[in-house]
Amino acid sequence: MDITHTKELFDSKEFEVAYHTDLPLGSFCGREGTLFRLWAPTAQNVVLRLYPAGHGGQPKEILHPVKGEKGTWHCETARNLDGWYYDYAVTVDGRVYETNDPWAKSCGLNGKRSMVLDLKRTDPPGWELDKAPAPTEEQVIWELHVRDFSWDAAGGFEPADRGLFRALTKTGTTLYRNGKHPTGLDYMKRLGVTHVQLLPIYDYGSVDEKHPEAAYNWGYDPVNYNVPEGSYSSDPYRGEVRVRELKDMVAALHKNGFRVIMDVVYNHTYNLECSLFKTVPWYFFRQTSQGKPSNGSGCGNDVASERSMCGRYILESALYWIEEYHLDGFRFDLMGLMDDGLMNKLQKALDEKYGPGEKLVYGEPWRAADTHARPGTRLCDKESLLHIDSKIGAFNDDTRDAVKGSVMREDSVGFVNGGTIRAEVLGKCLTGWVAPNGANQTPYQNITYLSCHDDWTLWDKLVYTMDPSKHFLGSDPKLLKANRLAAAINFCCQGRPFFLSGEEFGRTKGGIKNSYCSSSEVNQLDWTRAWENRELVDYYRGLIALRKQLPAFADKSAEARNRLLFTKDLAPNCAGAALDNHGNSPWKILLVVFNCSDTPCPVNLPEGKWQLLCDGDSSFRWQQHIPLESRCTAQPGSALILGKMN
Ligand code: CA
């Protein structure tokens, strides 16, 4: 097959009709025996090799799958091969590709060999009773990398747990094991977030599982889509361990009150030396008209989600994670590379199976560059948000950039760090950029955030724009104040609030913008800093607790934008707004003022009994029941949230 013709062939309806199948694919074992089935419609020959171990040694046995219907190859044996490892030698156009099984559920060291696994035996005790915590009206999402969580020795984790799934199962850890200052799960519980979004936990390629400490990576380099990453397990050699330990982790997070979101990277693979490529060369990947890999991901290749078997693969994989690991939703990396048909199908399948909106789906509504999808494909980018399932959400770069400045330039500023706040833009942020102001149908679609793993942390951005000495490890009161103001604005935006773990304690990566392969020390959560900046943590804690009581911000309906009664420029670089807060709350009307200037701004209150809920120093003022007279003052560089009593 001429490689430049594969694009046309694989995009064609004829190919889809001839080879699309819904037959189960992968390996399946039980008392009745074991079945292997691979989809390889362009192969001339397929050989299956069985190994007793996940790495090293020669095959113990060779099997010869036969060609079945719709381009599938299968073989069966009466033996239960649970615990065996395998790979394929697939011949296409005379070339032999040695590959693992893209449909496999576990694997050996570094994902080179697939594993036949009876998943039942990986279930921890009580797994059938595991349940996510009850749904909450507000969803506050905290983004976390498994290793970052427990790498810092000061965090007081068991040395054998550091960097692993296991660290997320333990309560009772404290800073320097002093018994006083909670770290880990206890810290998270105190913070009040409802959802943990984990950076990639599927098997990725950039960290050698044999020597995980030798490298660090975020993990946006998928190798086995349906297998947990081995470097987060206590034994990457035995494929059942990573599966069981991930389940343990999910159960522990659920038990401690958190729902778990998985970051999925179906838009590209680590490289083309992967099973999806080797089993059906080029089918799962978009090509340019010259036959080169499309590169809209900026990572060397783009997965062709619009092709029917590729769409099946992604849909099945996502549903598998939810079902087998009890996960609660997905964050789609570069969702702007996926076709919207697939995203709609996924949301629909999840809604039908688990109830509408029970499982979250949101992603990045952009891509790194143009992609070469089949002509006529509609991609799930910002422009699509008005047309896709209104339960699919997207990260909002408009609020992010308005508050703290663009991610493209370190000296670019926003409301809180030298820019100018304007009532008109503030109003759009507050109402979640719902149409006609933006691309969202409802605030539900709006992931409102200031920082995530990409780009500078909020703290580092503040240092770049406000601290001439560039002292990243410092705790300058001026910066802490700007951080509080920024957070207050974000938590007053309709949408689903999201933040990078550690944003709440001024997390720094020493000014590094893209730390995807920086050291563990650069990336880790610095638990000492979390303690030192505990007042900032408390400010976030108060905002989260307050947010849960404010329907004006938490309302996800299409009508939520009508809650904005007015916005007003109150003084140079100081803007405010009033919102209708009817619903389950003691306060009928809210008044918010964000004073980004250096001078105090007097605020005249409309008639009624007003209460101070939050100011620049404390976000727990609402606990103090402080009545206000007809006037109050928004202090320089501070937020003010006031509530009118019912
Ligand atoms: Ca791996």
Side-chain angles (χ1 to χ4, degrees):
M1 192 178 4
D2 183 340
I3 215 160
T4 55
H5 292 150
T6 51
K7 180 181 166 73
E8 214 173 304
L9 173 71
F10 293 145
D11 276 342
S12 73
K13 197 74 200 159
E14 291 73 26
F15 188 86
E16 184 176 325
V17 170
Y19 296 114
H20 182 93
T21 177
D22 290 317
L23 281 172
L25 296 165
S27 58
F28 310 89
C29 66
R31 264 179 305 184
E32 321 75 51
T34 304
L35 166 71
F36 297 88
R37 190 183 285 117
L38 180 71
W39 188 67
T42 55
Q44 282 91 48
N45 189 37
V46 174
V47 172
L48 170 57
R49 308 179 294 195
L50 288 169
Y51 307 81
H55 81 293
Q58 294 300 310
K60 192 96 174 171
E61 209 172 322
I62 307 279
L63 301 176
H64 296 277
V66 296
K67 204 165 187 172
E69 60 177 274
K70 301 276 185 183
T72 59
W73 297 74
H74 66 275
C75 66
E76 269 177 280
T77 154
R79 289 170 293 154
N80 183 351
L81 295 177
D82 180 23
W84 282 73
Y85 294 82
Y86 67 102
D87 62 12
Y88 287 108
V90 180
T91 308
V92 182
D93 289 336
R95 185 172 160 192
V96 180
Y97 296 88
E98 296 190 331
T99 176
N100 53 316
D101 180 358
W103 307 81
K105 302 300 197 297
S106 197
C107 62
L109 189 74
N110 286 323
K112 298 266 190 284
R113 276 177 205 161
S114 300
M115 186 192 197
V116 181
L117 181 59
D118 177 359
L119 287 161
K120 269 264 157 288
R121 73 180 169 97
T122 64
D123 291 352
W127 182 240
E128 66 286 356
L129 300 174
D130 168 69
K131 252 177 92 170
T136 41
E137 266 179 55
E138 188 51 290
Q139 297 139 2
V140 183
I141 306 166
W142 201 58
E143 187 192 31
L144 180 69
H145 182 277
V146 171
R147 187 187 286 188
D148 292 357
F149 183 70
S150 59
W151 195 259
D152 179 8
F157 301 92
E158 289 293 334
D161 291 346
R162 285 177 53 209
L164 306 185
F165 290 135
R166 290 204 302 217
L168 279 145
T169 66
K170 308 279 174 75
T171 53
T173 57
T174 56
L175 186 66
Y176 303 114
R177 299 178 183 241
N178 66 5
K180 284 186 284 192
H181 316 316
T183 62
L185 274 185
D186 289 355
Y187 169 92
M188 284 164 61
K189 279 159 78 170
R190 203 166 163 272
L191 186 58
V193 296
T194 61
H195 287 64
V196 183
Q197 177 195 302
L198 295 167
L199 270 80
I201 50 170
Y202 56 72
D203 176 40
Y204 58 82
S206 52
V207 169
D208 182 0
E209 296 176 359
K210 205 171 176 178
H211 301 290
E213 67 291 344
Y216 172 95
N217 210 284
W218 285 343
Y220 293 90
D221 45 290
V223 173
N224 280 286
Y225 277 116
N226 298 323
V227 179
E229 163 59 14
S231 69
Y232 298 148
S233 79
S234 64
D235 186 351
Y237 293 84
R238 291 190 298 137
E240 69 276 21
V241 177
R242 56 180 78 193
V243 177
R244 183 176 305 124
E245 290 182 348
L246 177 54
K247 287 179 176 176
D248 277 335
M249 187 196 76
V250 174
L253 285 168
H254 280 165
K255 210 174 120 206
N256 283 285
F258 305 103
R259 291 194 167 207
V260 188
I261 308 288
M262 176 181 184
D263 191 339
V264 287
V265 188
Y266 291 117
N267 67 80
H268 70 271
T269 58
Y270 187 24
N271 51 39
L272 293 183
E273 288 291 306
C274 66
S275 59
L276 284 179
F277 188 89
K278 290 172 173 180
T279 49
V280 196
W282 291 109
Y283 176 81
F284 291 93
F285 296 90
R286 294 178 185 149
Q287 284 177 278
T288 66
S289 49
Q290 285 81 41
K292 298 267 187 316
S294 170
N295 190 18
S297 67
C299 298
N301 63 74
D302 298 340
V303 168
S305 67
E306 69 279 13
R307 291 179 182 159
S308 73
M309 281 301 282
C310 189
R312 172 192 160 179
Y313 181 84
I314 295 169
L315 184 67
E316 213 170 291
S317 171
L319 294 173
Y320 166 75
W321 283 102
I322 297 278
E323 184 65 22
E324 187 65 29
Y325 290 91
H326 302 182
L327 295 171
D328 304 299
F330 298 110
R331 175 261 184 199
F332 270 75
D333 187 65
L334 301 184
M335 186 169 73
L337 279 172
M338 316 296 291
D339 69 288
D340 64 357
L342 174 64
M343 296 304 297
N344 280 333
K345 231 192 240 179
L346 172 63
Q347 183 71 62
K348 189 160 173 264
L350 291 170
D351 286 352
E352 280 172 7
K353 191 155 185 197
Y354 303 98
E358 174 66 12
K359 305 292 182 186
L360 306 187
V361 179
Y362 56 89
E364 295 179 299
W366 49 72
R367 49 191 163 268
D370 285 343
T371 188
H372 296 261
R374 177 164 56 201
T377 303
R378 196 157 71 183
L379 298 166
C380 211
D381 49 23
K382 232 173 171 175
E383 286 69 46
S384 294
L385 292 175
L386 278 174
H387 312 290
I388 56 171
D389 190 315
S390 64
K391 284 188 282 330
I392 297 174
F395 288 89
N396 191 316
D397 53 346
D398 294 315
T399 301
R400 182 194 70 191
D401 292 355
V403 175
K404 63 161 197 179
S406 164
V407 298
M408 300 300 172
R409 285 181 49 181
E410 62 189 36
D411 59 354
S412 147
V413 294
F415 296 163
V416 305
N417 51 348
T420 306
I421 190 167
R422 285 186 301 119
E424 189 216 339
V425 183
L426 175 66
K428 292 175 181 175
C429 294
L430 295 180
T431 50
W433 300 88
V434 168
N437 287 335
N440 294 313
Q441 301 170 56
T442 71
Y444 190 83
Q445 283 190 299
N446 186 43
I447 301 292
T448 184
Y449 76 118
L450 303 176
S451 76
C452 67
H453 65 276
D454 275 321
D455 305 311
W456 300 289
T457 65
L458 174 58
W459 182 263
D460 286 351
K461 178 74 171 170
L462 296 177
V463 171
Y464 274 124
T465 48
M466 299 177 73
D467 176 6
S469 68
K470 304 288 180 277
H471 186 31
F472 293 102
L473 270 169
S475 292
D476 184 332
K478 200 172 96 195
L479 269 65
L480 286 166
K481 202 170 176 182
N483 194 329
R484 289 197 296 269
L485 175 56
I489 298 173
N490 193 41
F491 277 96
C492 287
C493 293
Q494 292 174 349
R496 288 181 270 172
F498 168 105
F499 57 110
L500 174 68
S501 54
E503 185 192 293
E504 75 280 6
F505 61 70
R507 181 174 180 179
T508 176
K509 294 179 186 169
I512 296 172
K513 186 180 184 190
N514 186 356
S515 67
Y516 80 102
C517 68
S518 300
S519 69
S520 301
E521 286 67 30
V522 164
N523 281 287
Q524 71 189 7
L525 294 189
D526 176 345
W527 290 105
T528 308
R529 190 166 172 81
W531 171 246
E532 288 166 353
N533 284 339
R534 59 193 174 278
E535 285 178 6
L536 183 57
V537 177
D538 278 342
Y539 198 79
Y540 275 76
R541 211 159 60 79
L543 287 173
I544 293 168
L546 179 59
R547 165 89 180 199
K548 291 173 181 171
Q549 308 171 61
L550 302 180
F553 304 134
D555 187 348
K556 303 287 183 284
S557 73
E559 295 73 42
R561 60 189 294 268
N562 300 327
R563 286 178 178 269
L564 182 65
L565 303 174
F566 63 82
T567 58
K568 199 172 173 191
D569 287 307
L570 296 166
N573 214 4
C574 178
L579 294 103
D580 174 354
N581 192 48
H582 76 267
N584 187 16
S585 170
W587 308 288
K588 202 156 50 178
I589 305 278
L590 298 180
L591 208 55
V592 294
V593 179
F594 303 111
N595 184 0
C596 302
S597 77
D598 295 331
T599 38
C601 176
V603 180
N604 292 319
L605 303 179
E607 247 181 73
K609 282 170 72 182
W610 289 87
Q611 209 179 35
L612 178 62
L613 307 184
C614 169
D615 61 19
D617 295 322
S618 171
S619 53
F620 279 109
R621 296 284 184 220
W622 50 277
Q623 288 184 334
Q624 300 169 319
H625 306 287
I626 303 169
L628 291 173
E629 301 304 325
S630 57
R631 278 171 74 88
C632 69
T633 303
Q635 296 302 329
S638 293
L640 203 54
I641 306 176
L642 312 173
K644 188 176 168 181
M645 299 300 291
N646 283 347

